[in-house]
């Protein structure tokens, strides 16, 4: 017979093998002062799991970092394991988690080093700012801040200074200003006076039917304008076919280097977007709508919170509860399933699919995920009719497109152009030509992941499905113009470093592949066969679009700029 025999105690009441029992519980203990501070800070806010990132922002904003005692206190207050809170806090770039040692300096200057800012002098700022600002100010690199048309860009407390110089950044540091709400000219009152929300009221009152709105949007050919280009009317129908309750999630996390059109539309006319969002929620009968906005746009976030409140007070959002969620510095959260994970208070790790977000999305419910600009055009399309859209276009394309144009042009910015327009036409007709002293050499048709094409291919239509045959795509329509002053190897390396830094780390092909690619590209000489083999592995085996598209610029340089491969690596 097998019998369980308890271990013998050691001398003086010690545990097994003479080990004395611990006088305190295992793990990091709760500091009562820190717990009091966290409880006071949270007040009567719910302690729900999905609000973890919002609560981490409260701590970061209050003390400028997240200390170990505060992190432990927050975990205790939310009844979560400290490891869960720690893994989320350390995933996002805008949370400064301090386990041991002194906290970071009270002021942090973030210098955007993404492509457009690098071309405009970001490296010079990174070299000179520490000496100018002194040891009490931290200067760090940061990815794209969504102001590529005003490069180079720096941020102090996430408040941006555009076309930055060492002196302008020093002045902002001295001012020590925190974000305040952006006061748009087209506020709630002005928008209503101009006929705004009449369409939404017609929808809510029954004058318009859901099927009618879906047909108009479908006839106009509206597609998702965040990058994927999925037909909007079809997406609405697919989500409506799923069982209730259905939810809506709006993606305002445009982190693709070169992209800033969503920010432009939110600043200029926020209620045109809000009305489109409320109509989308009505279409799928969503009781809750979540708007996720990137942390790099603090003024826009604060302004929208005010305008959301006005809409709710006017009784225009009775059919759906509005929730605003704040990103925390993670490009990957622009991927729809990673954004949903972040809204749920988790790390922004893309989900395996199927099931798709339309079937199993936010909180496990069917979810309509939409881009900001897509919703922005709903009112105009319905009120003016699909012919207003389809009557525009070039080269047998129908409609119009918003392009974020930056780089070596005289007038960078958001450009509204006919569908089917070319890069050469964008430069000459809409952006005032090339910058003085620069000769057109190449361009990015779709941001960091869309590849690089030479000037000799600048007459190709910039539209969905036209550039894939060349290893490129338009994506979010972010066009960066390059000149003879730019080394294409340096351009590709800058973009690959971005992907290396922004990889969520979930899958090996992306996590390791981007790192190895950066090392090979930086060290040189470039070995086309090896780099192509590595790129193929990343494309074929990565979970999401980040790893699948990261090799595009590299492969384009190998294919379209072979004369550059033997030259030394350049820099700006």
């Amino acid at each position: 017979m097998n019998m369980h025999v308890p271990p013998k105690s050691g001398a003086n009441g010690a545990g097994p093998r003479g080990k004395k029992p611990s006088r305190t519980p295992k793990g990091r203990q709760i500091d009562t002062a820190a717990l009091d501070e966290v409880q006071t800070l949270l007040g009567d806010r719910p302690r729900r799991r999905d609000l973890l990132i919002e609560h981490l922002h409260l701590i970061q904003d209050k003390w400028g970092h997240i200390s170990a005692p505060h992190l432990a206190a927050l975990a205790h207050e939310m009844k979560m394991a400290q490891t869960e809170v720690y893994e989320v806090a350390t995933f996002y770039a805008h949370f400064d988690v301090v386990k041991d040692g002194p906290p970071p300096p009270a002021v942090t200057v973030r210098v955007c080093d993404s492509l457009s800012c690098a071309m405009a002098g970001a490296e010079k700022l990174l070299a000179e700012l520490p000496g100018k600002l002194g040891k009490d100010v931290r200067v760090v690199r940061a990815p794209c801040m969504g102001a590529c048309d005003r490069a180079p860009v720096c941020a102090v407390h996430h408040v941006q200074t555009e076309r930055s110089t060492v002196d302008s950044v020093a002045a902002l540091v001295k001012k020590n200003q925190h974000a305040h709400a952006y006061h748009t000219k087209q506020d709630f009152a002005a928008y209503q006076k101009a006929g705004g929300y009449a369409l939404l009221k017609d929808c809510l009152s029954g004058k318009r039917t859901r099927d009618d709105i879906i047909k108009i949007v479908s006839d106009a050919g509206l597609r998702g304008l965040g990058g994927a280009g999925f037909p909007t009317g079809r997406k609405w129908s697919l989500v409506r076919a799923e069982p209730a309750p259905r939810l809506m999630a709006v993606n305002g996390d445009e982190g693709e280097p070169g992209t800033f059109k969503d920010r432009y539309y939110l600043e200029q006319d926020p209620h045109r977007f809000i009305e489109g969002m409320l109509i989308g929620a009505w279409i799928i009968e969503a009781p809750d709508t979540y708007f996720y906005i990137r942390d790099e746009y603090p003024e826009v976030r604060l302004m929208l919170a005010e305008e959301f409140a006005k809409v709710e007070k006017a009784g225009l959002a009775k059919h759906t509860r509005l929730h605003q969620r704040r990103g925390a510095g993670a490009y990957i959260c622009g991927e729809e399933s990673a954004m949903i994970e972040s809204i749920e208070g988790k790390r922004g790790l893309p989900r395996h699919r199927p099931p798709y977000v339309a079937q199993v999305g936010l909180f496990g419910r069917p979810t309509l995920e939409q881009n900001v600009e897509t919703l922005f055009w709903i009112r105009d399309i319905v009120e003016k009719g699909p012919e207003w859209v389809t009557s525009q276009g070039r080269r047998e394309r129908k409609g119009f497109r918003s392009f974020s144009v930056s780089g070596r042009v005289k007038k960078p910015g958001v450009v509204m152009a006919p569908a089917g327009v070319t890069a050469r036409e964008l430069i000459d007709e809409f952006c005032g030509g090339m910058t003085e002293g620069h000769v057109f050499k190449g361009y990015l048709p779709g941001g960091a992941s869309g590849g690089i094409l030479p000037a000799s291919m600048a007459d190709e239509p910039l539209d969905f499905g036209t550039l894939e045959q060349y290893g490129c795509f338009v994506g979010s329509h972010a066009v960066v113009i390059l000149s003879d002053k730019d080394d294409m190897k340096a351009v590709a390396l800058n973009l690959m470093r971005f992907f290396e830094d922004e990889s969520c780390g979930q899958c090996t092909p992306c996590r390791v592949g981007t790192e190895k690619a950066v090392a090979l590209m930086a060290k040189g000489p470039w070995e086309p066969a090896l780099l192509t083999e590595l790129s193929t592995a990343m494309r074929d085996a990565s979970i999401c679009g980040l790893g699948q598209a990261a090799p595009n610029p590299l492969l384009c340089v190998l294919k379209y700029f072979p004369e550059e491969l033997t030259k030394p690596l350049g820099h700006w």
Side-chain angles (χ1 to χ4, degrees):
M1 179 182 293
N2 294 324
M3 298 181 62
H4 174 70
V5 181
K8 296 181 179 179
S9 297
N12 301 320
R17 296 179 298 278
K19 184 178 179 181
K20 293 184 178 180
S22 175
R23 294 184 178 181
T24 58
K26 292 183 178 181
R28 189 179 294 275
Q29 300 309 298
I30 306 302
D31 182 284
T32 55
L35 181 60
D36 288 343
E37 290 174 337
V38 167
Q39 289 174 336
T40 300
L41 186 64
L42 296 185
D44 59 358
R45 293 178 175 85
R47 271 57 167 173
R48 298 197 316 267
R49 173 69 170 80
D50 61 291
L51 292 174
L52 173 59
I53 294 173
E54 297 296 307
H55 296 343
L56 287 168
H57 273 302
L58 291 174
I59 296 174
Q60 177 73 37
D61 291 345
K62 175 71 174 178
W63 288 286
H65 66 284
I66 300 174
S67 68
H70 284 139
L71 191 144
L74 179 63
H76 176 81
E77 189 67 11
M78 297 187 70
K79 296 180 172 58
M80 294 176 61
Q82 291 185 35
T83 52
E84 287 184 276
V85 178
Y86 180 79
E87 73 173 8
V88 172
T90 53
F91 180 85
Y92 295 94
H94 291 177
F95 294 141
D96 292 310
V97 180
V98 179
K99 285 184 65 177
D100 301 295
V107 178
T108 295
V109 174
R110 289 180 166 84
V111 181
C112 176
D113 68 351
S114 290
L115 183 58
S116 295
C117 285
M119 294 161 61
E123 294 300 326
K124 186 172 182 289
L125 289 171
L126 284 162
E128 296 179 0
L129 280 173
K132 176 74 172 182
L133 301 178
K135 63 181 180 179
D136 294 330
V137 177
R138 179 176 56 163
V139 178
V140 299
R141 293 177 179 270
C144 186
M145 298 180 186
C148 315
D149 54 331
R150 292 162 276 184
V153 180
C154 298
V156 180
H157 301 303
H158 300 300
V159 176
Q160 295 180 5
T161 172
E162 297 154 353
R163 298 182 179 88
S164 303
T165 64
V166 170
D167 290 339
S168 68
V169 175
L172 187 60
V173 169
K174 185 176 181 180
K175 192 175 182 181
N176 200 26
Q177 174 184 322
H178 289 259
H180 58 276
Y182 175 92
H183 295 293
T184 176
K185 294 179 181 178
Q186 194 72 356
D187 63 7
F188 180 66
Y191 183 74
Q192 271 206 314
K193 187 176 180 181
Y197 290 110
L199 175 60
L200 174 64
K201 291 176 182 177
D202 285 349
C203 292
L204 297 177
S205 67
K207 290 183 180 179
R208 298 270 193 171
T209 69
R210 292 176 173 85
D211 289 338
D212 288 343
I213 300 294
I214 291 175
K215 185 178 187 306
I216 293 171
V217 168
S218 298
D219 289 346
L222 181 64
R223 304 174 69 161
L225 298 171
F230 194 86
T232 301
R234 185 181 172 197
K235 180 182 281 191
W236 287 357
S237 297
L238 289 172
V239 176
R240 282 188 71 206
E242 296 294 326
R246 298 174 287 271
L247 302 177
M248 184 173 181
V250 181
N251 193 335
D253 194 61
E254 56 171 359
E256 180 82 10
T259 309
F260 46 90
K261 61 184 178 64
D262 289 353
R263 176 184 186 171
Y264 172 81
Y265 287 121
L266 290 174
E267 289 178 340
Q268 298 300 311
D269 199 354
H271 285 277
R272 198 169 298 268
F273 153 71
I274 296 172
E275 183 169 10
M277 177 176 66
L278 292 173
I279 290 171
W282 169 77
I283 289 283
I284 66 158
E285 301 174 82
D288 291 276
T289 298
Y290 291 80
F291 176 56
Y292 188 90
I293 185 167
R294 65 186 312 214
D295 201 30
E296 287 83 352
Y297 297 169
E299 293 91 351
V300 177
R301 173 176 54 82
L302 294 171
M303 176 269 289
L304 285 174
E306 292 182 2
E307 300 305 318
F308 281 0
K310 294 174 185 177
V311 169
E312 291 173 323
K313 185 177 180 181
L316 295 170
K318 291 182 179 179
H319 61 294
T320 188
R321 289 178 292 272
L322 298 180
H323 309 267
Q324 190 181 76
R325 292 297 171 84
R326 177 180 174 186
Y331 164 74
I332 191 61
C333 290
E335 196 275 338
E336 61 176 4
S337 65
M339 177 192 71
I340 283 174
E341 289 286 301
S342 189
I343 291 174
E344 293 179 355
K346 306 172 187 173
R347 295 176 293 167
L349 302 181
R351 295 176 179 177
H352 293 267
R353 287 171 289 187
Y356 295 95
V357 166
Q359 302 164 312
V360 181
L362 190 56
F363 306 119
R365 301 307 310 164
T367 301
L368 173 64
E369 190 273 343
Q370 297 271 235
N371 164 259
V372 166
E373 194 200 351
T374 306
L375 298 172
F376 183 89
W377 294 116
I378 298 298
R379 175 192 165 189
D380 287 295
I381 289 171
V382 175
E383 290 184 346
K384 298 178 181 179
E387 298 79 12
W388 172 69
V389 179
T390 57
S391 63
Q392 306 178 56
R394 297 179 182 178
R395 298 173 183 85
E396 301 181 354
R397 267 68 181 188
K398 293 182 179 181
F400 55 84
R401 300 286 183 265
S402 300
F403 293 90
S404 306
V405 186
S406 61
R408 310 298 191 181
V409 290
K410 290 180 180 177
K411 296 190 298 183
V414 173
V415 169
M416 178 71 74
V421 73
T422 68
R424 200 179 308 278
E425 289 168 341
L426 282 179
I427 296 170
D428 295 338
E429 296 180 33
F430 297 91
C431 297
M434 294 292 294
T435 304
E436 292 296 335
H438 290 260
V439 178
F440 184 30
K441 181 179 180 180
Y443 64 104
L444 277 64
S449 56
I452 308 172
L453 290 173
S456 61
M457 298 177 65
D459 297 314
E460 296 291 331
L462 297 175
D463 206 3
F464 296 112
T466 62
L467 301 178
E468 282 76 1
Q469 60 183 317
Y470 306 118
C472 299
F473 54 79
V474 293
S476 60
H477 293 78
V479 178
V480 183
I481 304 299
L482 308 169
S483 79
D484 57 335
K485 303 292 194 295
D486 301 311
D487 174 12
M488 295 302 163
K489 288 166 61 178
V491 169
L493 178 57
N494 176 282
L495 300 175
M496 189 63 76
R497 279 179 170 150
F498 169 81
F499 290 123
E500 177 194 21
D501 187 56
E502 293 296 329
S503 173
C504 74
Q506 179 179 189
C507 68
T508 303
C510 177
R511 181 185 67 250
V512 178
T514 53
E515 178 187 352
K516 297 300 182 186
V518 165
L520 291 170
M521 294 164 73
K523 182 180 179 181
W526 284 26
E527 299 181 40
L530 180 59
L531 290 171
T532 300
E533 182 181 1
L534 177 59
S535 298
T536 300
M538 293 170 63
R539 278 182 161 181
D540 292 347
S542 293
I543 290 174
C544 81
L546 191 154
Q548 294 163 10
N552 287 346
L554 161 62
L555 293 172
C556 285
V557 171
L558 296 178
K559 183 176 182 179
Y560 299 116
F561 302 92
E563 70 280 0
E564 304 249 338
L565 300 183
T566 58
K567 298 178 183 178
L569 182 65
H571 58 84
W572 292 283

